[in-house]
Amino acid sequence: MISSFIAGCIFCGFLVVAGHFLKFWRTTRDKFFLYFTIAFLLLGFERICVSLYIGAETLSYIYIIRLIAACFIIVAIVHKNRE
């Protein structure tokens, strides 16, 4: 029960961070902030999936979401450095 509560808190934290990056993207229209918004939304979705997973065999597939989010962060940083 406590792990579900902590997962919910982490999910809310990811949503708050994604909201801040979305606010910055709206004012600057820089893709860096958009990529970070998508990454943190994916990390929040992954945290909910981990807390709701059915069996251990599906857990490894859920972590692919975390890999995709990390790729978004890497792409954002590389794209920003090339500008």
Side-chain angles (χ1 to χ4, degrees):
M1 182 163 166
I2 192 77
S3 63
S4 297
F5 174 74
I6 292 173
C9 291
I10 293 171
F11 171 72
C12 288
F14 282 137
L15 284 183
V16 167
V17 172
H20 282 290
F21 280 119
L22 184 64
K23 180 180 73 169
F24 295 141
W25 175 74
R26 284 184 182 168
T27 58
T28 63
R29 295 292 182 196
D30 191 1
K31 287 185 180 182
F32 177 80
F33 296 121
L34 183 63
Y35 289 147
F36 267 76
T37 300
I38 294 169
F40 279 103
L41 287 175
L42 283 172
L43 287 172
F45 177 70
E46 181 265 338
R47 183 53 45 190
I48 293 299
C49 290
V50 167
S51 67
L52 297 177
Y53 78 97
I54 307 291
E57 66 274 359
T58 61
L59 190 59
S60 61
Y61 295 117
I62 292 173
Y63 284 109
I64 292 175
I65 300 170
R66 186 179 289 179
L67 176 66
I68 294 169
C71 288
F72 268 107
I73 292 173
I74 291 169
V75 166
I77 292 170
V78 168
H79 179 64
K80 188 68 174 177
N81 285 333
R82 290 190 183 261
E83 286 183 353

